Amino acid sequence: MILYFSGTGNSLAIARKIAEAINDQVLPLTEAVQQDLTNEQCIGLVFPTYDFNMPPAVRTLVPQLKISKEAYVFAVTTCGAQAGNSLWTLRRLLRQKGIELAYAHKIRVPDNSAIAFGRNPNEQAWKFERFAFRLDRIIADIRGQKHEWHFAWWSLAGGIMGWSFLENGMWRTFHPVVNEAKCTGCKTCARVCPMSNIAVEEKAHIGDNCTICLACVHVCPQQAISTNGRETLKERQYRHPDIKLKDLIKR
Ligand SMILES: Cc1cc2nc3c(=O)[nH]c(=O)nc-3n(C[C@H](O)[C@H](O)[C@H](O)COP(=O)(O)O)c2cc1C
């Protein structure tokens, strides 16, 4: 079973590709924590890197998983460039449950947070072709149940960057903000939010449990949700090309 967390579909697309290759299924991490997965012989975790580490939501969910200590457990993190301490944190969290992470790797994909800096994630589509060989290798490794960690050692650069991001309040800076004048109350944001953290009455309201996946910013048909004080432009809204809006809904 391949468990995933995904805001804009990169991690879901990678999870699906691995699942297809090893004849397995995907399951959202948010649902996986409600199930007993102790009979699964192979558990995969696919999730994005945020601020050189694991998304806070994934950090909260992983300790709740019911998985076997005998299972082959692998992880892949999707990231724009640097996985930092993402996989190291996962290894540590699993170890606290007595579970060994057998295999870990990162894969570079378009950076969905580029929108927060006024850049266009869609212009990074070249990464799909450039790093396709890496995904092929990851799949071959997982198929062979290889034991190998890449990027699962603690990294000083990742530690410093993650710390400075938090220290400088960058996390709060990226928090999505709803422009009520533009919001039509269509609920698309609420449907895709993997945290079920958006309530819509007349207008969308983002609750206190935001993990900053930016799904809402990228899917809003009115471009009414912004981050880092940047106006959201339609052409900068991103979703993995293989992932449809309905795939992001009701996960
Ligand atoms: C808040 C936030 C922080 C991010 N931080 C990093 C980072 O530290 N390093 C990196 O390479 N990519 C970073 N990214 C980019 C994502 O890891 C990348 O786009 C990922 O594939 C998104 O996955 P998803 O489409 O499954 O949500 C960040 C994205 C967000 C939203």
Side-chain angles (χ1 to χ4, degrees):
M1 188 68 73
I2 302 180
L3 319 178
Y4 70 90
F5 186 86
S6 186
T8 56
N10 287 338
S11 309
L12 173 53
I14 299 289
R16 279 186 174 174
K17 282 198 175 124
I18 298 172
E20 199 184 336
I22 64 168
N23 202 15
D24 208 333
Q25 289 176 337
V26 300
L27 183 69
L29 199 47
T30 44
E31 279 179 34
V33 292
Q34 290 156 27
Q35 297 190 17
D36 182 354
L37 300 172
T38 46
N39 284 333
E40 297 289 333
Q41 296 305 302
C42 174
I43 294 282
L45 289 145
V46 185
F47 55 88
T49 288
Y50 293 169
D51 289 351
F52 307 91
N53 219 315
M54 280 171 96
V58 180
R59 265 190 243 197
T60 310
L61 292 166
V62 165
Q64 298 173 40
L65 285 171
K66 291 177 222 52
I67 54 179
S68 164
K69 290 180 180 150
E70 314 305 324
Y72 173 76
V73 180
F74 69 87
V76 177
T77 189
T78 66
C79 60
Q82 303 289 341
N85 288 322
S86 210
L87 294 166
W88 175 80
T89 301
L90 176 69
R91 183 156 70 87
R92 196 171 46 90
L93 287 179
L94 288 172
R95 213 168 243 182
Q96 284 166 6
K97 289 169 72 70
I99 293 162
E100 276 303 312
L101 179 63
Y103 180 86
H105 217 310
K106 74 163 187 181
I107 181 131
R108 285 185 65 188
V109 285
D111 181 349
N112 62 356
S113 72
I115 198 166
F117 304 100
R119 297 197 305 267
N120 189 344
N122 296 293
E123 288 172 1
Q124 300 179 22
W126 55 268
K127 288 179 188 170
F128 294 129
E129 211 174 310
R130 171 82 69 87
F131 299 109
F133 79 95
R134 171 106 358 117
L135 181 58
D136 289 346
R137 180 180 153 190
I138 291 171
I139 288 174
D141 287 348
I142 292 168
R143 219 188 244 134
Q145 300 220 336
K146 199 167 183 180
H147 284 65
E148 193 171 72
W149 305 322
H150 299 260
F151 310 100
W153 299 102
W154 189 78
S155 125
L156 180 63
I160 292 170
M161 292 300 282
W163 174 79
S164 68
F165 263 50
L166 290 171
E167 278 299 294
N168 296 326
M170 292 284 278
W171 194 256
R172 281 188 299 279
T173 314
F174 290 143
H175 198 288
V177 174
V178 179
N179 178 340
E180 294 205 349
K182 283 189 178 176
C183 177
T184 59
C186 74
K187 299 196 173 108
T188 310
C189 56
R191 291 193 182 105
V192 300
C193 176
M195 306 301 293
S196 304
N197 186 45
I198 304 182
V200 184
E201 288 196 9
E202 266 186 46
K203 306 285 178 185
H205 172 77
I206 299 171
D208 297 333
N209 197 23
C210 179
T211 199
I212 326 267
C213 72
L214 304 185
C216 56
V217 174
H218 285 284
V219 300
C220 175
Q222 308 301 324
Q223 293 77 46
I225 309 183
S226 62
T227 183
N228 200 18
R230 303 258 175 189
E231 189 190 351
T232 298
L233 304 182
K234 190 174 166 49
E235 62 268 25
R236 289 186 192 153
Q237 286 180 308
Y238 172 81
R239 188 170 72 237
H240 187 284
D242 294 348
I243 300 300
K244 297 190 172 58
L245 188 59
K246 72 173 171 49
D247 297 321
L248 296 180
I249 290 174
K250 293 271 171 254
R251 288 165 296 164

